[in-house]
Amino acid sequence: MFKNIKKSDVLITISLLCIVSILGYYYVNSLARAKLWVKSYPIRAELSARQITCSDNSPTWLTNILRYQTKSNNAPTNQIAYIDPTGKLYHCENGYVGQYPLISDNVTEYTRFRYASVTKLWTADAILSLVRDGNLSLDTKLADIITDINNPKDTRINDITIRQLLSHRAGFDRYSVFGQDMFGIGKDICPNHLQALNEITLGFTPDSKTSYSNLGYCLLGEVISRLNGDRSYAEIIEQQYHFVDTDLHFISNVAMDDEVFYNHVETGITGVANIYTAFDYKGLASAAGLSGNAVELAQQVHGMAAKPSPNILSIDKKEQCDFTKIAECYGYAMIPYQPKLDAPMVYYRDGSLLGLSSLVAIDKRGSVIALLSNGTPDNGIIGNNKVKMIIYDQLAKNE
């Protein structure tokens, strides 16, 4: 009965079985499917890099930065906005709103991205506004505002100042159990259990070193709330920065309708969820809770930088640090960088979440660059610093 079977039929049958087996394997094996998706990135990157749109007369170097982000920093979708020293605004975008190229809508200048830690600029600016208005001083003690601090077992907490919180020198070590509860690690202190500050031990004596802290900025958010009639931080910021006239919004653990897809897939058994479920965004409102687009980010930050001193570009005169190293120093809101004494100074503020990176750069002439990307570099800090140096070289060239 098998004599009439053709070899071609056998080959077709075997091929179909192989295809079905492969499809079945990837269907039931989510880890293998995720790894395959990651390996397909060069194809997706090439499609996205070919799809760049810009406003009229935009500098060509804006497109070069988008191509770099797409091909080298694992971000298929990006927005960049540039305000030049004369106040003119330019912007470029590339990629797709959804997960899949070609069948998804193209990103526009209005597409929403989460701002991650760039949100801290609003918190710092609001605090510095209180200082300029005489409602607060940089040397005000946190315990004078947050009265929940009444009998701390670590008495150094009584001496934490607003200045130290702004510059990440308040004693909260992000790598300790009490310093970083962004991922649900350690005790839930801020904003819901501030009395727990009486029970913790600081990671170091305030002002003895620098350690980046989301907890410190959450506490600054509570200071803003207490000095504004105990209204919520989000309500105060929305009103003070006129969100009603913008597309800026505080985020939650659910994607918004106009929000970009984030290029993150879990390829290992780590217990880390996606960008929506891994974080408590309500608790992170003052540290990483805002969203919008690159144009609005650049415009808002441009206004902050133009305010009288102390402003987001101010640096604590007491701080001794090396400006020639990126991320070596923290000002009151941004990181100053100056590769050598006779070189221009540029200020950075960046952030990242799962599948998301954000960056703002400002120079002393008032130029602002805002870059939002739906991915993070595979090589982490090295990749982020590389794009910072590209931006620095461009700003320095224009001086």
Side-chain angles (χ1 to χ4, degrees):
M1 61 180 292
F2 298 104
K3 290 182 180 181
N4 294 326
I5 297 178
K6 298 178 182 180
K7 288 184 178 180
S8 59
D9 292 335
V10 173
L11 291 173
I12 291 172
T13 301
I14 292 174
S15 298
L16 289 173
L17 288 172
C18 289
I19 291 171
V20 170
S21 298
I22 292 170
L23 292 175
Y25 171 76
Y26 283 108
Y27 179 77
V28 300
N29 191 327
S30 59
L31 181 59
R33 193 165 64 247
K35 290 180 177 179
L36 179 64
W37 178 250
V38 170
K39 289 179 179 178
S40 74
Y41 183 73
I43 299 172
R44 292 182 279 128
E46 184 61 32
L47 291 170
S48 292
R50 293 182 179 185
Q51 191 269 316
I52 298 178
T53 58
C54 293
S55 58
D56 293 341
N57 302 315
S58 291
T60 56
W61 55 266
L62 294 180
T63 64
N64 295 336
I65 291 174
L66 294 192
R67 287 194 182 96
Y68 176 81
Q69 283 293 89
T70 301
K71 295 192 173 185
S72 301
N73 275 357
N74 200 36
T77 301
N78 306 272
Q79 293 175 334
I80 190 167
Y82 169 52
I83 298 176
D84 73 11
T86 69
K88 291 181 180 177
L89 171 69
Y90 306 94
H91 61 84
C92 294
E93 304 80 35
N94 80 296
Y96 304 90
V97 176
Q99 181 175 2
Y100 302 104
L102 303 180
I103 64 172
S104 298
D105 292 336
N106 294 344
V107 69
T108 72
E109 68 267 35
Y110 303 108
T111 302
R112 181 176 307 280
F113 287 72
R114 299 186 174 214
Y115 284 169
S117 284
V118 169
T119 299
K120 291 182 175 68
L121 291 176
W122 278 263
T123 303
D125 185 68
I127 286 286
L128 294 171
S129 292
L130 289 168
V131 172
R132 290 193 301 271
D133 292 341
N135 297 315
L136 190 66
S137 105
L138 289 169
D139 294 314
T140 297
K141 301 287 181 66
L142 175 66
D144 291 343
I145 309 296
I146 307 296
T147 54
D148 308 67
I149 304 171
N150 48 34
N151 188 28
K153 71 175 186 180
D154 186 340
T155 57
R156 295 175 297 177
I157 291 174
N158 285 322
D159 298 323
I160 292 173
T161 66
I162 298 301
R163 184 193 308 272
Q164 292 162 355
L165 290 168
L166 286 170
S167 56
H168 300 275
R169 297 177 63 83
F172 301 118
D173 188 342
R174 71 180 303 186
Y175 298 110
S176 76
V177 70
F178 298 122
Q180 167 64 295
D181 51 6
M182 182 172 177
F183 291 92
I185 299 171
K187 188 174 292 187
D188 177 15
I189 298 172
C190 183
N192 300 315
H193 302 97
L194 293 173
Q195 67 277 7
L197 289 167
N198 294 303
E199 305 300 324
I200 70 170
T201 301
L202 293 179
F204 57 91
T205 299
D207 256 348
S208 65
K209 70 174 187 176
T210 301
S211 181
Y212 186 84
S213 174
N214 286 300
L215 173 56
Y217 265 73
C218 181
L219 293 171
L220 287 172
E222 285 304 299
V223 169
I224 293 167
S225 175
R226 299 288 173 96
L227 293 180
N228 283 274
D230 284 334
R231 291 187 297 148
S232 74
Y233 168 85
E235 179 187 352
I236 295 161
I237 297 300
E238 287 170 351
Q239 181 178 349
Q240 185 170 333
Y241 296 90
H242 308 290
F243 281 16
V244 69
D245 299 322
T246 73
D247 287 326
L248 295 169
H249 286 291
F250 282 95
I251 51 180
S252 68
N253 294 88
V254 178
M256 300 184 73
D257 292 339
D258 58 350
E259 191 171 346
V260 72
F261 167 82
Y262 300 105
N263 187 41
H264 172 82
V265 290
E266 193 60 38
T267 57
I269 304 173
T270 65
V272 177
N274 60 38
I275 191 172
Y276 308 110
T277 60
F279 310 103
D280 172 16
Y281 286 111
K282 187 174 182 181
L284 284 171
S286 58
L290 279 176
S291 69
N293 55 62
V295 168
E296 288 177 328
L297 175 55
Q299 290 171 329
Q300 292 257 329
V301 173
H302 186 261
M304 295 176 191
K307 293 178 180 179
S309 180
N311 62 26
I312 62 169
L313 302 185
S314 297
I315 302 168
D316 193 339
K317 294 179 180 179
K318 297 180 180 179
E319 185 156 350
Q320 302 294 320
C321 56
D322 187 354
F323 294 152
T324 67
K325 296 180 180 178
I326 294 180
E328 177 72 16
C329 305
Y330 286 97
Y332 292 148
M334 304 192 78
I335 298 169
Y337 173 67
Q338 185 180 32
K340 53 186 180 179
L341 285 176
D342 59 348
M345 180 86 80
V346 171
Y347 305 83
Y348 297 104
R349 171 70 268 177
D350 60 354
S352 63
L353 294 170
L354 300 178
L356 162 66
S357 57
S358 55
L359 173 64
V360 173
I362 308 174
D363 68 17
K364 290 203 170 183
R365 301 169 306 152
S367 300
V368 177
I369 295 174
L371 175 63
L372 299 174
S373 303
N374 76 331
T376 54
D378 290 330
N379 55 353
I381 293 175
I382 294 173
N384 283 327
N385 285 349
K386 175 65 175 176
V387 76
K388 288 177 186 175
M389 292 308 304
I390 293 172
I391 288 173
Y392 178 87
D393 290 343
Q394 189 59 56
L395 291 176
K397 185 189 302 182
N398 291 338
E399 286 219 347

